[in-house]
Amino acid sequence: MTDRFISIEGIARHFAATNGATTTVFENLWLSMARGEFVCVIGYSGCGKTTVLNILAGLDTPSAGAVIVDGKEIEGPSLDRAVIFQSHALLPWRTVMGNVAYAVSSRHRGWSRAEVAKHAQTFIDLVGLTGAEHKRPAELSGGMKQRVGIARALSIEPKIMLMDEPFSALDALTRGTLQDEVRRICTTTGQTVFMITHDVDEAIYLADKVILMTNGPGAVLAEIVENPLPKQRARSDFHKHPLYYAVRNHIIDFLVSRSRSFIEEFGTSYDPRKVAIVRPGLPEPSIAKPSDQSTPSNRSRQAAAH
């Protein structure tokens, strides 16, 4: 990859156990992302997905290795990296405008109140909350609260959007609507996104690449699945694409079986710096057997013709 906008270089995370031993969540992880890519990470709970995201956010420190973003090593949180959590994490005493404006004023400390409000309004409109500016979180539905969280994250115009299962607590219809909004916004703005999900269809719909992690502890990056579906895809028909089931079945097969046996199968031949890149496609065409011209039915038709 020529554009290593994000470069995860040999990171590890160890935790001290109560018996004095050390638990290794993951070790020697290598991954790079290009600017403007949408990457989803899938793996079972305990494999370290959220830990990787927290390290990217600067909220956690790797036990070894480093993360480079746009040529600079991460050293703590930064407004260049916005995080959207599973919960909306809004300030309950502030309105929709107040929550978004608070983020804007943190980024642009020299702006006047009018400039802050104008900029915040742009992103409130972008997520479809026009008219709800003066409502407080207690007056909003779960989906609206997540929209405020997305608007707040986008309003600081981050280099990277980090999303930790942001739609998992929502009902199916609201989740689908917000997925559409996020996809529309990220496609329009070229936002770089690192997202954690357990929803395979969500990953296929949103992501350019899906990272598959083995089970923890001691998890590794098993595969990078390149999404073969067209960049311009719609929720109404993406599951009808001829490559959809090839991608879905490949990911589910990994989660069901290969995630448990991956390390044993590859052993010492696994190279963490050269994670396999997979692009599932159509199955190989089957060759139909030629029809037997001498079958009884054919012979009788041939006899009748004579």
Side-chain angles (χ1 to χ4, degrees):
M1 183 181 295
T2 55
D3 179 11
R4 290 177 177 269
F5 179 58
I6 300 174
S7 184
I8 295 174
E9 302 183 355
I11 64 170
R13 193 65 177 94
H14 309 299
F15 292 98
T18 54
N19 60 0
T22 300
T23 298
T24 299
V25 182
F26 54 78
E27 192 167 30
N28 206 17
L29 257 57
W30 295 79
L31 177 68
S32 60
M33 284 176 57
R35 193 184 304 269
E37 273 193 331
F38 197 126
V39 168
C40 280
V41 182
I42 291 183
Y44 282 97
S45 297
C47 71
K49 303 183 302 297
T50 298
T51 303
V52 174
L53 183 142
N54 287 339
I55 290 172
L56 275 167
L59 301 174
D60 197 356
T61 304
S63 304
V67 178
I68 312 298
V69 174
D70 204 13
K72 297 180 180 180
E73 183 175 351
I74 288 177
E75 295 179 350
S78 167
L79 291 173
D80 286 341
R81 286 165 269 123
V83 183
I84 300 176
F85 300 99
Q86 293 182 39
S87 61
H88 50 80
L90 301 180
L91 301 176
W93 60 89
R94 286 182 176 266
T95 62
V96 170
M97 173 60 76
N99 270 278
V100 180
Y102 182 77
V104 176
S105 59
S106 298
R107 164 67 85 175
H108 304 286
R109 296 184 180 277
W111 282 12
S112 68
R113 182 174 296 183
E115 288 174 315
V116 169
K118 182 180 178 180
H119 189 79
Q121 187 68 53
T122 299
F123 293 91
I124 291 171
D125 296 341
L126 188 66
V127 299
L129 286 177
T130 308
E133 293 87 351
H134 302 295
K135 291 185 177 181
R136 287 182 168 79
E139 303 174 84
L140 305 176
S141 67
M144 292 175 77
K145 291 173 185 176
Q146 283 298 74
R147 285 174 184 264
V148 179
I150 294 169
R152 181 178 59 186
L154 289 169
S155 69
I156 62 174
E157 299 175 296
K159 292 180 178 179
I160 306 170
M161 186 98 76
L162 303 169
M163 306 174 75
D164 188 1
E165 297 187 68
F167 315 127
S168 60
L170 304 174
D171 64 87
L173 290 177
T174 304
R175 184 166 63 246
T177 300
L178 282 183
Q179 288 170 355
D180 291 341
E181 288 297 318
V182 166
R183 175 159 178 77
R184 176 184 62 80
I185 292 167
C186 292
T187 301
T188 302
T189 62
Q191 181 68 56
T192 304
V193 182
F194 182 93
M195 176 175 170
I196 292 171
T197 182
H198 284 105
D199 188 326
V200 174
D201 282 336
E202 180 174 78
I204 296 172
Y205 178 53
L206 294 175
D208 301 312
K209 293 179 180 176
V210 182
I211 310 299
L212 303 181
M213 291 188 71
T214 63
N215 295 8
V220 301
L221 301 184
E223 291 179 355
I224 300 172
V225 180
E226 291 188 342
N227 194 342
L229 273 62
K231 184 78 171 178
Q232 300 301 323
R233 49 188 179 267
R235 171 176 303 283
S236 59
D237 59 7
F238 86 102
H239 61 285
K240 299 176 185 177
H241 193 279
L243 298 179
Y244 164 74
Y245 280 106
V247 181
R248 191 175 194 275
N249 291 343
H250 182 88
I251 295 173
I252 290 178
D253 175 66
F254 174 84
L255 294 173
V256 171
S257 58
R258 293 188 296 119
S259 62
R260 296 179 176 85
S261 60
F262 180 86
I263 296 176
E264 289 78 7
E265 288 178 7
F266 281 82
T268 56
S269 66
Y270 172 75
D271 187 347
R273 294 193 180 209
K274 297 179 180 178
V275 178
I277 299 175
V278 181
R279 196 172 192 272
L282 290 171
E284 291 296 322
S286 58
I287 301 175
K289 293 182 179 180
S291 59
D292 186 356
Q293 297 297 322
S294 63
T295 59
S297 58
N298 282 338
R299 286 200 301 269
S300 62
R301 283 197 294 268
Q302 291 167 2
H306 290 293

